């Protein structure tokens, strides 16, 4: 630092005193090791704060313009009623602004029961303290997310749920975080999932299968219309609502056409499997193809016994994953239709087409699906049902797309526009709004994981989850 001074030319009374000018030599000043990352963190937070504020203002204006457009188009509505509609929107907007300023935390929810556990957290049935409304709360431990390189998967799930207003997707009401944990507050779907139904009934008739597969077609189509590929469609992720209709959930492995979500997950799984394979084993797979198919009742029983454990494990099950995902040579949303074909096969036959006693063996069967896709002799299916499965479980370039699927003879007579208005084959018989009879709660330890109190100091790792918080504008009433 250098200092110099200049004096005023006049020495008369009242004249200015000498002024000191201070010059800083930046090369010698330097910064502490923490200054740059702290400055960068502050910059990111400020940018995010103003982006959220601008986006919220745009959304408010869009809602106002859209309502005005609809009101102007309604020539039968009186001006007085139109004015009331605009005033009602204004009150909703004011209420939503107050909600946005409210900081949600774990204390705002009371745990009723743990209804699911996974590798990175758990799912609880909770009740919001101030309103009494029932939700499903999914908790994810930040440390585990970062340690297991799951950040992109967490972001993918939050993005899909926040962007969707589809009746085919489980609705997200809130997401928030503290320094230890991420929280997703979603609608509670009391009918359980398709996996639980398959465990209970083993197989479905073709009529029942037709209904659930038709609803899944519309659900997958809704995800694709948002610009996302699910990549992890399986019976565990097909939930049943209170009316018996399906909704898709668990978008942790989804990827967006317009988002930078991680796609290396499956490559890591495949490399892990290949590391354990020898060339001799690879040759024996082809030689013993017939013997390795799931024709043994003991093998099938073993797979079914481990079904739920696989669903809750870190590795998960690859039974429904398309081969092109493992190859990492580029793929599109057609990979989700392969998964639908595998689920349809399980609904009709009782187990997925490539299931085995080990994940390694399952990988190999999927990669060489031409040699392993076979319908057992003791299962009698219609030509239409078998044909649809074969047109879904095939190479990506020959696989049916949504329009061809809808027009396939197996779905003859399905009214695609009114599926959610017809009576499903199964409607949950609920005793209360907190009824969990369709969840395997007896198999889950009913001790919610202890969540450490939030620290007052924000960890640098929290920047990884910047923008995770979400509050939905319109909260649909829960009709219990």
């Amino acid at each position: 630092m250098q200092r110099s001074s200049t004096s005023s030319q006049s020495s008369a009374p009242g004249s200015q005193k000498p002024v000191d000018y201070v010059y800083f030599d930046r090369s010698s000043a330097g910064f502490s090791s923490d200054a740059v990352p702290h400055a960068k963190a502050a910059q990111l937070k400020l940018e995010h704060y103003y982006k959220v504020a601008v986006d919220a203002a745009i959304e408010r204006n869009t809602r106002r313009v859209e309502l005005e457009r609809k009101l102007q188009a309604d020539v039968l509505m009186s001006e007085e009623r139109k004015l009331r509609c605009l005033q009602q929107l204004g009150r909703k907007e004011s209420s939503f602004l107050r909600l946005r300023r409210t900081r949600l935390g774990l204390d705002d929810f009371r745990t009723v029961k743990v209804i699911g556990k996974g590798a990175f957290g758990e799912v609880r049935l909770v009740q919001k303290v101030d309103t009494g409304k029932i939700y499903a709360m999914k908790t994810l431990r930040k440390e585990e997310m970062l340690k297991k390189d799951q950040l992109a998967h967490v972001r993918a799930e939050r993005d899909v749920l926040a962007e969707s207003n589809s009746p085919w997707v489980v609705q997200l009401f809130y997401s928030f975080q503290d320094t230890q944990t991420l929280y997703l507050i979603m609608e509670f779907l009391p009918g359980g999932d398709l996996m639980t139904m398959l465990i209970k009934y083993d197989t479905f008739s073709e009529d029942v299968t037709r209904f659930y597969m038709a609803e899944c077609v519309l659900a997958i189509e809704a995800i694709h219309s948002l610009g996302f590929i699910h990549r992890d469609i399986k019976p565990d992720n097909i939930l049943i609502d209170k009316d018996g209709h399906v909704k898709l959930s668990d978008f942790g492995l989804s990827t967006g056409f317009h988002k930078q979500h991680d796609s290396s997950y499956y490559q890591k799984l495949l490399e892990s499997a290949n590391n354990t394979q020898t060339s001799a084993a690879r040759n024996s797979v082809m030689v013993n193809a017939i013997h390795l198919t799931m024709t043994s009742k003991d093998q099938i029983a073993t797979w079914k016994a481990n079904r739920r454990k696989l669903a809750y494990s870190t590795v998960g099950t690859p039974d429904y994953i398309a081969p092109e995902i493992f190859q990492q040579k580029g793929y599109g949303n057609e990979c989700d239709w392969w998964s639908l074909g595998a689920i349809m096969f399980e609904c009709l036959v009782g187990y997925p087409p490539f299931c085995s006693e080990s994940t390694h063996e399952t990988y190999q069967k999927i990669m060489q699906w031409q040699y392993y896709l076979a319908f057992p002799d003791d299962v009698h299916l219609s030509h239409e049902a078998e044909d649809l499965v074969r047109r879904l479980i095939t190479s990506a370039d020959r696989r049916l797309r949504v329009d061809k699927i809808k027009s396939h003879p197996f779905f003859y007579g399905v009214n695609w526009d009114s599926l959610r208005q017809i009576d499903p084959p199964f409607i949950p018989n609920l005793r209360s709004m907190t009824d969990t009879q369709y969840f395997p709660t007896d198999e889950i330890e009913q001790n919610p994981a202890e969540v450490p109190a939030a620290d007052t100091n924000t960890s640098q790792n929290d920047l990884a989850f910047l923008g995770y918080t979400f509050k939905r504008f319109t909260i649909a009433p829960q009709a219990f």
Side-chain angles (χ1 to χ4, degrees), residues 103 142 177-181 451-459 462:
R103 188 179 182 86
K142 284 185 178 181
Q177 60 180 301
D178 55 35
T179 57
Q180 306 291 331
T181 310
V451 180
D455 297 333
T456 54
N457 296 324
T458 303
S459 168
D462 287 347

Side-chain angles (χ1 to χ4, degrees), residues 74-265:
D74 191 343
V75 296
L76 299 178
M77 186 181 295
S78 67
E79 292 299 321
E80 182 181 355
R81 187 175 176 187
K82 291 180 180 180
L83 179 61
R84 286 201 302 270
C85 288
L86 290 171
Q87 290 173 342
Q88 183 181 20
L89 176 63
R91 289 192 294 270
K92 272 189 173 183
E93 295 287 3
S94 297
S95 177
F96 185 59
L97 284 172
R98 288 193 295 272
L99 175 64
R100 287 176 63 90
R101 290 193 294 266
T102 304
R103 188 179 182 86
L104 286 177
L106 190 60
D107 292 340
D108 293 299
F109 299 89
R110 180 181 67 85
T111 298
V112 178
K113 189 177 291 187
V114 178
I115 58 176
K117 288 202 174 185
F120 306 110
E122 60 190 17
V123 180
R124 312 180 192 180
L125 180 66
V126 298
Q127 186 173 32
K128 199 162 186 290
V129 174
D130 58 347
T131 64
K133 289 184 177 179
I134 298 297
Y135 301 99
M137 172 191 281
K138 183 174 183 177
T139 63
L140 298 167
R141 295 184 294 275
K142 284 185 178 181
E143 184 179 357
E144 291 297 315
M145 295 290 101
L146 294 170
K147 187 187 302 181
K148 301 294 176 62
D149 198 21
Q150 298 288 308
L151 181 59
H153 303 161
V154 173
R155 172 60 62 181
E157 179 165 39
R158 183 265 181 209
D159 285 349
V160 176
L161 295 176
E163 291 186 24
S164 173
N165 286 305
S166 171
W168 299 105
V169 176
V170 61
Q171 192 164 43
L172 174 69
F173 292 106
Y174 314 105
S175 62
F176 58 93
Q177 60 180 301
D178 55 35
T179 57
Q180 306 291 331
T181 310
L182 301 171
Y183 303 91
L184 291 167
I185 307 298
M186 301 173 288
E187 64 177 318
F188 171 53
L189 302 180
D193 56 39
L194 201 63
M195 178 186 72
T196 301
M197 291 183 65
L198 285 168
I199 290 174
K200 181 177 181 180
Y201 296 107
D202 195 46
T203 60
F204 297 155
S205 68
E206 287 197 15
D207 285 340
V208 172
T209 300
R210 183 178 295 107
F211 173 83
Y212 287 119
M213 294 304 99
E215 293 215 326
C216 286
V217 167
L218 294 182
I220 295 171
E221 185 182 28
I223 293 299
H224 292 173
S225 68
L226 290 173
F228 288 93
I229 313 171
H230 192 291
R231 299 198 305 178
D232 196 29
I233 292 174
K234 52 189 177 183
D236 339 5
N237 296 337
I238 300 171
L239 303 185
I240 311 297
D241 68 14
K242 63 182 179 60
D243 298 315
H245 295 280
V246 309
K247 294 195 177 193
L248 284 182
S249 72
D250 206 344
F251 296 89
L253 295 181
S254 64
T255 183
F257 301 139
H258 58 288
K259 289 183 168 57
Q260 298 302 314
H261 295 145
D262 177 45
S263 61
S264 62
Y265 175 78

Side-chain angles (χ1 to χ4, degrees), residues 189-469:
L189 302 180
D193 56 39
L194 201 63
M195 178 186 72
T196 301
M197 291 183 65
L198 285 168
I199 290 174
K200 181 177 181 180
Y201 296 107
D202 195 46
T203 60
F204 297 155
S205 68
E206 287 197 15
D207 285 340
V208 172
T209 300
R210 183 178 295 107
F211 173 83
Y212 287 119
M213 294 304 99
E215 293 215 326
C216 286
V217 167
L218 294 182
I220 295 171
E221 185 182 28
I223 293 299
H224 292 173
S225 68
L226 290 173
F228 288 93
I229 313 171
H230 192 291
R231 299 198 305 178
D232 196 29
I233 292 174
K234 52 189 177 183
D236 339 5
N237 296 337
I238 300 171
L239 303 185
I240 311 297
D241 68 14
K242 63 182 179 60
D243 298 315
H245 295 280
V246 309
K247 294 195 177 193
L248 284 182
S249 72
D250 206 344
F251 296 89
L253 295 181
S254 64
T255 183
F257 301 139
H258 58 288
K259 289 183 168 57
Q260 298 302 314
H261 295 145
D262 177 45
S263 61
S264 62
Y265 175 78
Y266 298 102
Q267 183 64 27
K268 293 173 185 175
L269 289 181
L270 186 60
E271 288 172 355
S272 176
N274 287 340
N275 287 340
T276 62
Q277 181 186 30
T278 63
S279 58
R282 187 185 298 110
N283 294 333
S284 68
V285 166
M286 296 301 299
V287 173
N288 299 314
I290 297 177
H291 301 291
L292 289 176
T293 54
M294 291 295 290
T295 54
S296 166
K297 291 184 177 180
D298 291 338
Q299 283 184 313
I300 296 170
T302 300
W303 181 87
K304 289 183 176 180
N306 294 324
R307 180 71 172 88
R308 201 177 296 279
K309 293 178 182 177
L310 279 172
Y312 294 153
S313 70
T314 307
V315 176
T317 171
D319 286 293
Y320 311 93
I321 299 174
E324 63 265 24
I325 293 181
F326 293 122
Q327 292 169 344
Q328 289 288 303
K329 295 180 180 178
Y331 55 87
N333 60 21
E334 65 275 359
C335 66
D336 286 340
W337 301 121
W338 168 289
S339 302
L340 184 70
I343 294 171
M344 181 175 172
F345 184 102
E346 181 178 358
C347 290
L348 296 169
V349 175
Y351 50 86
F354 309 109
C355 68
S356 307
E357 292 183 343
S358 70
T359 55
H360 168 69
E361 202 171 305
T362 301
Y363 288 128
Q364 295 306 317
K365 288 183 179 181
I366 291 173
M367 297 303 294
Q368 302 173 51
W369 59 269
Q370 302 94 328
Y371 302 99
Y372 293 102
L373 179 60
F375 291 84
D377 295 334
D378 57 346
V379 176
H380 304 289
L381 303 178
S382 68
H383 169 74
E384 293 79 8
E386 183 173 335
D387 182 72
L388 179 55
V389 171
R390 291 188 181 278
R391 288 176 180 270
L392 294 175
I393 303 178
T394 186
S395 58
D397 59 321
R398 300 180 61 187
R399 200 171 303 152
L400 293 184
R401 302 306 193 263
V402 63
D403 291 339
K404 296 290 186 182
I405 293 172
K406 288 182 177 179
S407 61
H408 190 276
F410 179 75
F411 289 120
Y412 177 78
V414 172
N415 188 336
W416 296 97
D417 295 327
S418 61
L419 263 178
R420 290 198 81 89
Q421 281 70 56
I422 69 173
D423 291 334
F426 159 75
I427 300 176
N429 182 20
L430 302 173
R431 297 183 293 262
S432 69
M433 64 181 184
T434 58
D435 191 345
T436 59
Q437 62 176 299
Y438 299 104
F439 292 84
T441 54
D442 293 341
E443 304 172 22
I444 300 172
E445 183 182 357
Q446 287 302 314
N447 291 319
E450 289 295 326
V451 180
D455 297 333
T456 54
N457 296 324
T458 303
S459 168
Q460 192 71 15
N461 287 337
D462 287 347
L463 289 175
F465 304 99
L466 189 64
Y468 191 81
T469 301

